Amino acid sequence: KTGFFTHDPGFTSTSSCESAITFIDGEKGELRHRGYAIKDIAEQSSFPEVAFLLIEGELPTPSELRAFDLALKSESMVHEKLITFFQGFKSDAHPMAIMVGVVGALSAFYPDSMNIFDHAQRRTSAIRLVAKMPTIAAISYKTAVGEPVVYPDHSLAFAENFLHMMFATPCAPYKVNPVHAKALETILVLHADHEQNASTSTVRIASSSQANPFACIAAGIASLWGPSHGGANEAVLCMLDEIGTPDRIPLFLDKAKDKSDPFRLMGFGHRVYKNHDPRATLMRGICEQVLASVDTSRTPELELARALEQQALQDEYFAKRKLYPNVDFYSGIVLRAIGIPRNMFTVVFAVARTVGWVAQWNESFLDREQRISRPRQLYVGMPAREFVPLDARD
Ligand code: SDX
């Protein structure tokens, strides 16, 4: 079996939207990766297994998965000099600002995997990015809270290691809660790839100019940060804060319907899914499992979220427009419940989506023409007219 790094499916992409990685049917609420249904993948695959599937094109055999997991672990540390880069940020810097800066800077540290026309170097860059993102994310968090960096632990699985790097300290052994690790792994799997969304399209456009892989992924991180896209999970919690108590929900539902008000119900609606988001359905199940394991009286916003969901689903405006909770509505609630601070929610999304970004970045090189992306425009400005010198303007 060969993967995309050696296997050429034979199509020459005549448009940037030709892809063999993810299929979405927005009307039916279907999502498949390389032909496999997201429900089966989310319930049976580890995140490294999904990463292999998206990047290589096939589910790995046990020996392929072991080798891939080893490759990820061998690349999980970052260059020690990179750690000083984090010291340059103010302590209140948003972790996504740090991620954009640090990931772009990787191109200054790993020049040996920058030849984008070399299969082996492309694969090395893909492995490096998937492996280093959780480490960079955890260091961003440690920088923000002023704690010492915790290095990757190769004895831990991907999601466990991420939580360990975030919450362990040198003072005492830290045991990762298995319910939290499983919930985080499912969130990573459900966010791994999603066809030509805004951030993935950003990566493909950057790649078409032959920018280096680290710069392309930094561009994807910047695009994901927006509250209409990956920033929605953090925006859901901020919205719940603003609503405060269940009696204020009708006020916010009215705000969301008011066209003169820019407020939108965060975590609701989707560009493509015009029925349910299959990831949201799976995420809701994870949410219930995690909430059963935490004392929700200590997290009132979780109860508020349930009340908001019920009232919105019964509201004619939302029902008529088929505005249902999307994956971000529940993922923010689960991340909050497992102790991840909200300014890290979109960072978690970026760690997961790096797999889809590198898989689609690599796939774009199978387009033999590899032409630069050049979106067209409809010009609606002024017609041609004579220039007016400055002294003739009143
Ligand atoms: C992600 O593309 C992807 O795949 C993205 C993503 C991924 O995995 O990469 O799935 C991740 O980005 C999920 C979406 C996260 N964003 C949010 O939760 C932010 C809140 N949602 C909205 O901003 C909105 O729903 C969008 C941006 C997601 C979609 O916007 P669209 O395409 O304009 O929505 P639409 O065409 O379905 O809107 C239909 C109507 C419009 O009103 P009318 O003109 O018919 O009167 O519904 C309204 C919209 O104004 N509407 C909302 C609404 N979403 C749409 N009204 C209030 N609250 C909302 N959330």
Side-chain angles (χ1 to χ4, degrees), residues 24 190-191 193-194 196-199 224 227-230 232 236 256-257 259 263-274 277 279 317-318 321 323 326-328 349 353:
I24 298 176
L190 291 177
H191 287 78
D193 188 53
H194 209 238
Q196 304 310 316
N197 57 84
S199 54
L224 184 74
S228 285
H229 188 17
V236 166
K257 301 173 207 172
K259 295 302 173 196
F263 174 75
R264 287 286 173 276
L265 211 57
M266 290 292 111
F268 276 76
H270 196 274
R271 205 77 192 82
V272 175
Y273 291 122
K274 296 311 170 191
D277 176 341
R279 302 167 300 172
Y317 173 95
F318 291 89
R321 291 167 176 79
L323 299 175
N326 58 44
V327 67
D328 293 299
F349 194 153
R353 190 51 58 88

Side-chain angles (χ1 to χ4, degrees), residues 50-69:
V50 175
F52 186 100
L53 172 66
L54 290 175
I55 292 170
E56 297 289 354
E58 296 290 345
L59 286 169
T61 62
S63 63
E64 285 172 330
L65 183 55
R66 277 193 301 275
F68 186 71
D69 197 46

